[in-house]
Amino acid sequence: MTTSAFNVAARPVALVSGGSRGIGRAIVTRLAEDGYDVAFCYRTRPDAADQTAEVAARHGARTLVRRVDVTDSALTRDFVAAAEAELGALDVVVTAAGITRNQPLALMDDTQWQDVVRTNLDGTYHLCRAALPFLIKRQKGAIITMSSIAGVYGSVMQTNYSAAKAGVIGFTRALAKEYGKLGVRANAVAPGFIDTDMMASMNPATRDKHRKNIPLGRFGEPEEVADLVSFLVSDRAGYITGQVVGIDGGLAI
Ligand code: NAP
């Protein structure tokens, strides 16, 4: 589905995985406000994707919305190619699609491990691998990968998620080294607790316990992560690459 709000030439183009809800939705919205046309994908919730696209269109963005599971390499490649063909040359890529399947390691089954690694790590690889040739061709581009505080320090019940998000950091640093000279910057964002559906399964007592450990005394908002992404992809961050930027209310101190 493509919507055409304004037919404005030469708006920059961003591509976001997992743009239908939570942090991804806030990033799509913020980049639309910043003047980007935005392609984004989701996996299961077309209703949520439609809402995100409507908000982006209100900010004047053309959008391309596709149901694409980022664990599927071929589908992800087709999505990236469609974004370039329909919206124009890609400037920005954000890999926000992610899932958790929490379980102590002793009880973890192979599906829980594989689903999390395939979505968070393989999905990041698939999207960046597909988009990179387009960015290299223009000798310009900014990639943001979504890691987590769990990927930096490890998190209880999340060996699968911590491993995948640590993998995202290594991937991003290597990418930054390989393609910096070709004009491509790559940075990882490492959020702490951000108030999205991903945290909805947490019971009130656990939420309270976690909140007390945060120096700023509250969970983050998806829009705060989007503000950081907006800065990191902009020319104001033109000398920043290969970094892991925490946004966690001080939790990691
Ligand atoms: P969320 O509210 O659960 O949203 C996840 C998004 O990813 C949805 O748009 C979902 O689409 C999409 N998605 C999931 N699996 C996908 C797949 N295989 N292919 C394509 N899209 C897929 O999560 P969130 O809290 O916004 O998290 C966004 C990112 O930030 C994730 O990478 C997460 O690991 C990371 N993060 C979150 C927190 C936090 O506290 N919330 C902290 C650190 C890092 P559907 O709705 O259609 O399934």
Side-chain angles (χ1 to χ4, degrees), residues 15 28 40 44 53 93 129 131 145 156 182 184 190 233 235 240 243:
L15 185 140
V28 169
F40 71 90
T44 55
V93 175
R129 171 65 185 86
T145 58
V156 173
L182 296 181
V184 178
V233 301
D235 289 343
I240 300 177
Q243 301 304 303

Side-chain angles (χ1 to χ4, degrees), residues 17-25 40-46 48-49 66-72 95-101 115 118-120 123 146-150 161 165 189-199 220 222 225 247:
S17 70
S20 57
R21 290 186 293 116
I23 293 171
R25 169 185 281 178
F40 71 90
C41 72
Y42 65 100
R43 187 188 47 166
T44 55
R45 295 267 311 272
R66 288 277 162 90
R67 183 174 206 152
V68 173
D69 186 334
V70 294
T71 65
D72 186 316
T95 68
I99 60 166
T100 53
R101 298 284 183 269
D115 284 353
R118 283 181 182 153
T119 303
N120 292 283
M146 203 54 66
S147 183
S148 164
I149 196 169
Y161 187 72
K165 293 302 196 185
V189 170
F193 291 107
I194 308 297
D195 214 350
T196 68
D197 295 345
M198 190 173 265
M199 286 184 54
V225 181
I247 174 161

Side-chain angles (χ1 to χ4, degrees), residues 2-83:
T2 314
T3 60
S4 205
F6 298 175
N7 198 6
V8 183
R11 280 173 72 103
V13 177
L15 185 140
V16 181
S17 70
S20 57
R21 290 186 293 116
I23 293 171
R25 169 185 281 178
I27 292 169
V28 169
T29 304
R30 179 59 203 258
L31 293 178
E33 280 174 15
D34 288 349
Y36 286 81
D37 289 334
V38 190
F40 71 90
C41 72
Y42 65 100
R43 187 188 47 166
T44 55
R45 295 267 311 272
D47 55 321
D50 286 348
Q51 284 171 20
T52 304
E54 269 174 42
V55 175
R58 263 186 253 138
H59 293 294
R62 293 185 301 150
T63 59
L64 174 76
V65 186
R66 288 277 162 90
R67 183 174 206 152
V68 173
D69 186 334
V70 294
T71 65
D72 186 316
S73 173
L75 287 179
T76 306
R77 212 169 37 237
D78 289 350
F79 167 56
V80 172

Side-chain angles (χ1 to χ4, degrees), residues 64-149:
L64 174 76
V65 186
R66 288 277 162 90
R67 183 174 206 152
V68 173
D69 186 334
V70 294
T71 65
D72 186 316
S73 173
L75 287 179
T76 306
R77 212 169 37 237
D78 289 350
F79 167 56
V80 172
E84 268 268 332
E86 295 189 29
L87 296 182
L90 288 180
D91 297 279
V92 164
V93 175
V94 183
T95 68
I99 60 166
T100 53
R101 298 284 183 269
N102 297 351
Q103 194 72 270
L105 182 59
L107 300 177
M108 188 163 301
D109 64 39
D110 291 351
T111 305
Q112 289 167 328
W113 176 270
Q114 284 158 6
D115 284 353
V116 167
V117 172
R118 283 181 182 153
T119 303
N120 292 283
L121 183 56
D122 294 7
T124 298
Y125 156 69
H126 291 149
L127 199 74
C128 295
R129 171 65 185 86
L132 201 53
F134 295 112
L135 304 182
I136 292 170
K137 198 165 63 188
R138 296 186 60 214
Q139 302 265 299
K140 189 169 192 294
I143 294 174
I144 301 294
T145 58
M146 203 54 66
S147 183
S148 164
I149 196 169

